Amino acid sequence: MIQMQKRIEKRFTACFALLTLALTLLFVFVPDIHRVSLSAGDTGVATYSVMDLIRSRDELYQVDAVKKEESHQLRLTLPRDVDPADITYTENVMDKRIEISIPGVSSSFFYDYPMVGSSDGIRELTFGYSAGVGILDITTTKIRLLDMHTEGSYVYLDFLDPHDVYDAIVVIDIGHGGKDAGADKQGVSEKNINLEMGKKLFSYCAKSKYNVGFYFTRLDDTFVELQDRVGLANEIKADLFLSIHNNSTASGRMSSINGAEVMYRVSDDSGGSKEFAAICLEEILDELGCDSKGLVAGDEIYIIRTSEAPVALAEIGFMTNENELKNLCNPEYQDRAAHALYKAIITTLKKNGGIK
Ligand SMILES: [Zn+2]
């Protein structure tokens, strides 16, 4: 055991030494390196900015030769012997970050094979390298969807406006999270009930037959600032903004008060918020068979007041009611709540011409 550990340690040290050597060589031999900032993060991955390494097409080609590539924003060279299917990416919409994982590259890959295209709409572009896998980390100035495809020995990247891809866009906010537990009753945190319902709603959205872009403010136990929640909806110019919560009495004490209520923005002159909230409430009552606490003006709530999209904040049930709390913790009940919200979204979008 001990010997094996030592061997692994040795290999680790060797890898790290090689990486350091590679970076040192890079530093010495590559021109313009003074513009590159190197920093090793917590993961031991060395990263540097590659913004300045993008070559414009004019710089590299005769005008005629680039014509057929002009429509793509960035062109990368496909690393030798790499299957295009092994190049994967993740999108983090809250940070406007796209991470592309590229195997089979060296740390100097983008010096050896410069990207061709334009940095329009890109705030930062860094390249991280660790043990033969490169991570191209792209931060865009606006929320964008990556369109990546391979043709011959090149990989083409385009950054699309979600509104050009989807017929409608819905932002779904799963209330509370992380250090903010929301209501806490009988050992149950509101943030967890909201998350379970939200994840079930995510499943319905994922298999939706409609061309709708669904964006979630969280899908795990993460703390998200209120400004970032409503900020996502406003920035992406959502057609609808839905927030999922669960209720408790003002005193916080257990009581007989129960039922669903949905908040809306009174100051929304279009009436879209109230209409969306009404449809949510109707679907919830229909699906859960619970009591109604009605529609409630919610302008004192930050994310409601500041939402530019028609907003509804659904309080599915009261955690301060013994019976309802039991229901809210039941996965089957949570699933029906999620289905009600999904139907409400689709019904509202159909009504307002967002989808057919
Ligand atoms: Zn809440």
Short mmCIF file of all heavy atoms in Angstrom, two decimals, residues 52 60 67-68 101-102 108 111 145 159 163 168 192 200 238 247 256 260 284 303 337:
data_model
loop_
_atom_site.label_atom_id
_atom_site.label_comp_id
_atom_site.label_asym_id
_atom_site.label_seq_id
_atom_site.Cartn_x
_atom_site.Cartn_y
_atom_site.Cartn_z
N ASP A 52 -5.76 37.12 -27.27
CA ASP A 52 -4.88 37.78 -28.23
C ASP A 52 -4.36 36.83 -29.30
O ASP A 52 -3.68 37.25 -30.22
CB ASP A 52 -3.70 38.41 -27.50
CG ASP A 52 -4.16 39.52 -26.58
OD1 ASP A 52 -5.21 40.12 -26.88
OD2 ASP A 52 -3.49 39.77 -25.57
N LEU A 60 -4.94 36.29 -42.29
CA LEU A 60 -4.40 35.01 -42.73
C LEU A 60 -4.74 34.60 -44.16
O LEU A 60 -4.06 33.78 -44.74
CB LEU A 60 -4.87 33.89 -41.80
CG LEU A 60 -4.28 33.90 -40.39
CD1 LEU A 60 -4.78 32.68 -39.64
CD2 LEU A 60 -2.77 33.90 -40.42
N LYS A 67 -14.24 33.26 -47.98
CA LYS A 67 -15.67 33.47 -48.18
C LYS A 67 -16.54 32.41 -47.52
O LYS A 67 -17.50 32.71 -46.83
CB LYS A 67 -15.99 33.54 -49.68
CG LYS A 67 -15.68 34.90 -50.27
CD LYS A 67 -16.97 35.70 -50.52
CE LYS A 67 -16.72 37.18 -50.67
NZ LYS A 67 -16.18 37.56 -51.98
N LYS A 68 -16.20 31.13 -47.73
CA LYS A 68 -17.08 30.08 -47.26
C LYS A 68 -17.03 29.90 -45.74
O LYS A 68 -17.88 29.25 -45.16
CB LYS A 68 -16.81 28.76 -47.97
CG LYS A 68 -15.50 28.09 -47.61
CD LYS A 68 -15.36 26.81 -48.42
CE LYS A 68 -13.98 26.25 -48.30
NZ LYS A 68 -13.76 25.20 -47.42
N SER A 101 -14.04 21.05 -23.66
CA SER A 101 -12.96 20.13 -23.28
C SER A 101 -12.38 19.48 -24.54
O SER A 101 -13.10 18.84 -25.31
CB SER A 101 -13.54 19.08 -22.32
OG SER A 101 -12.64 18.04 -22.16
N ILE A 102 -11.10 19.69 -24.76
CA ILE A 102 -10.45 19.20 -25.97
C ILE A 102 -9.31 18.24 -25.61
O ILE A 102 -8.29 18.67 -25.08
CB ILE A 102 -9.86 20.38 -26.80
CG1 ILE A 102 -10.89 21.52 -26.93
CG2 ILE A 102 -9.39 19.91 -28.17
CD1 ILE A 102 -10.31 22.80 -27.49
N SER A 108 0.67 24.34 -25.57
CA SER A 108 0.92 25.45 -26.51
C SER A 108 0.03 25.35 -27.75
O SER A 108 0.31 25.98 -28.76
CB SER A 108 2.39 25.44 -26.92
OG SER A 108 2.68 24.23 -27.60
N TYR A 111 -0.96 28.36 -29.68
CA TYR A 111 0.16 29.06 -30.31
C TYR A 111 0.52 28.35 -31.62
O TYR A 111 0.80 28.97 -32.63
CB TYR A 111 1.37 29.09 -29.39
CG TYR A 111 1.22 30.04 -28.23
CD1 TYR A 111 0.79 29.57 -26.99
CD2 TYR A 111 1.50 31.39 -28.38
CE1 TYR A 111 0.64 30.45 -25.93
CE2 TYR A 111 1.35 32.27 -27.32
CZ TYR A 111 0.92 31.79 -26.09
OH TYR A 111 0.77 32.64 -25.06
N LEU A 145 -25.78 30.54 -26.77
CA LEU A 145 -25.74 29.08 -26.88
C LEU A 145 -24.63 28.72 -27.84
O LEU A 145 -24.47 29.37 -28.87
CB LEU A 145 -27.07 28.57 -27.46
CG LEU A 145 -28.30 28.71 -26.60
CD1 LEU A 145 -29.54 28.35 -27.40
CD2 LEU A 145 -28.19 27.80 -25.39
N PHE A 159 -21.78 31.43 -31.59
CA PHE A 159 -22.45 31.75 -30.33
C PHE A 159 -23.80 32.38 -30.65
O PHE A 159 -23.87 33.49 -31.17
CB PHE A 159 -21.57 32.68 -29.49
CG PHE A 159 -20.20 32.10 -29.29
CD1 PHE A 159 -19.15 32.42 -30.15
CD2 PHE A 159 -19.96 31.19 -28.27
CE1 PHE A 159 -17.89 31.85 -29.99
CE2 PHE A 159 -18.71 30.61 -28.10
CZ PHE A 159 -17.67 30.94 -28.97
N HIS A 163 -32.86 33.51 -28.49
CA HIS A 163 -34.12 33.85 -29.15
C HIS A 163 -34.12 33.46 -30.63
O HIS A 163 -35.18 33.33 -31.24
CB HIS A 163 -34.44 35.34 -29.00
CG HIS A 163 -34.92 35.69 -27.62
ND1 HIS A 163 -36.22 35.51 -27.23
CD2 HIS A 163 -34.25 36.15 -26.53
CE1 HIS A 163 -36.35 35.87 -25.96
NE2 HIS A 163 -35.17 36.26 -25.51
N ALA A 168 -39.67 30.36 -27.70
CA ALA A 168 -39.94 31.10 -26.46
C ALA A 168 -38.90 30.70 -25.42
O ALA A 168 -38.32 29.62 -25.50
CB ALA A 168 -41.34 30.78 -25.96
N ASN A 192 -35.13 22.45 0.04
CA ASN A 192 -35.07 21.08 -0.48
C ASN A 192 -36.36 20.66 -1.17
O ASN A 192 -36.33 19.98 -2.20
CB ASN A 192 -34.72 20.09 0.63
CG ASN A 192 -33.30 20.32 1.14
OD1 ASN A 192 -32.43 20.75 0.38
ND2 ASN A 192 -33.06 20.07 2.42
N LYS A 200 -38.05 17.94 -10.78
CA LYS A 200 -39.10 17.20 -11.49
C LYS A 200 -39.66 18.04 -12.64
O LYS A 200 -39.95 17.53 -13.72
CB LYS A 200 -40.20 16.77 -10.50
CG LYS A 200 -39.69 15.67 -9.56
CD LYS A 200 -40.68 15.33 -8.46
CE LYS A 200 -40.29 14.06 -7.71
NZ LYS A 200 -39.03 14.17 -6.96
N ALA A 238 -36.65 36.86 -21.00
CA ALA A 238 -37.54 35.69 -20.90
C ALA A 238 -38.97 36.07 -21.25
O ALA A 238 -39.41 37.20 -21.02
CB ALA A 238 -37.49 35.13 -19.48
N ASN A 247 -44.87 27.83 1.35
CA ASN A 247 -45.35 28.86 2.27
C ASN A 247 -45.21 28.48 3.74
O ASN A 247 -45.04 27.30 4.07
CB ASN A 247 -46.84 29.08 1.98
CG ASN A 247 -47.18 30.54 1.86
OD1 ASN A 247 -46.51 31.38 2.44
ND2 ASN A 247 -48.24 30.84 1.12
N SER A 256 -53.69 25.40 11.02
CA SER A 256 -54.59 24.71 10.09
C SER A 256 -54.60 25.37 8.72
O SER A 256 -55.19 24.85 7.77
CB SER A 256 -56.01 24.71 10.67
OG SER A 256 -56.41 26.05 10.88
N ALA A 260 -52.68 26.44 -1.86
CA ALA A 260 -51.72 27.03 -2.80
C ALA A 260 -52.04 28.50 -3.02
O ALA A 260 -53.21 28.89 -3.07
CB ALA A 260 -51.78 26.28 -4.12
N ILE A 284 -52.44 24.13 -10.63
CA ILE A 284 -52.03 23.54 -9.34
C ILE A 284 -53.26 22.96 -8.63
O ILE A 284 -53.23 21.82 -8.16
CB ILE A 284 -51.33 24.59 -8.44
CG1 ILE A 284 -49.98 25.01 -9.04
CG2 ILE A 284 -51.11 24.04 -7.03
CD1 ILE A 284 -49.38 26.26 -8.40
N ILE A 303 -37.87 40.01 -6.51
CA ILE A 303 -37.80 39.37 -7.84
C ILE A 303 -39.10 39.56 -8.63
O ILE A 303 -39.10 39.45 -9.85
CB ILE A 303 -37.43 37.86 -7.77
CG1 ILE A 303 -38.49 37.05 -7.04
CG2 ILE A 303 -36.06 37.64 -7.16
CD1 ILE A 303 -38.37 35.55 -7.33
N ALA A 337 -47.13 18.50 -8.67
CA ALA A 337 -46.95 19.96 -8.61
C ALA A 337 -46.12 20.43 -9.80
O ALA A 337 -46.45 21.42 -10.46
CB ALA A 337 -46.28 20.35 -7.30
#
